[in-house]
Amino acid sequence: MLRIEYFDKDRFMKQVSASRGSVLLHLDNGKTCDLKKDATASSMLRMMDAAPKKGFAITVTDPADVTGFLRYMLEAGRKDRIAG
C-alpha cells in the first residue's frame, strides 16, 4: 500500500492511466475503488486541488507499477516543497 500525501492531479491521473494493472483507492469506509475502472472515483480525484491532510492510500495490483508511483511521489513531494 502506498500513501499519497502530495497531489499533482494531472500527473497522478497520467500515472494511473499508464499503469499496467489496477490502481485501487482505499476509502475511509474500508472499501476500495479501481481508479482505472471507476469513473466516479476518478472524477472525485480530478476535482480535488490537494490531497487530504492524512493523504490517501492506493494499492497497485501489478508490482511493476510500484516504481512509477514511487517516482511520482518523490517528484510531487519535491515540487510541493519548492512551491511552499
Side-chain angles (χ1 to χ4, degrees), residues 22-63:
S22 295
V23 180
L24 305 175
L25 173 65
H26 297 271
L27 303 175
D28 288 340
N29 65 5
K31 295 183 180 185
T32 58
C33 297
D34 186 340
L35 292 175
K36 291 186 82 167
K37 296 178 182 175
D38 188 332
T40 302
S42 294
S43 295
M44 184 176 69
L45 283 180
R46 284 188 179 94
M47 290 188 302
M48 293 172 51
D49 290 326
K53 284 190 177 200
K54 65 179 183 172
F56 56 89
I58 62 168
T59 300
V60 293
T61 60
D62 188 326

Side-chain angles (χ1 to χ4, degrees), residues 2 18 26 42 49-50 52 55 65-66 69-70 82-83:
L2 301 170
H26 297 271
S42 294
D49 290 326
D65 293 329
V66 171
F69 279 100
L70 288 175
I82 292 170

Side-chain angles (χ1 to χ4, degrees), residues 2 11 15 19 63-75:
L2 301 170
R11 290 189 60 225
Q15 187 61 49
S19 297
D65 293 329
V66 171
T67 304
F69 279 100
L70 288 175
R71 184 179 310 115
Y72 160 80
M73 291 165 64
L74 288 170
E75 292 173 358

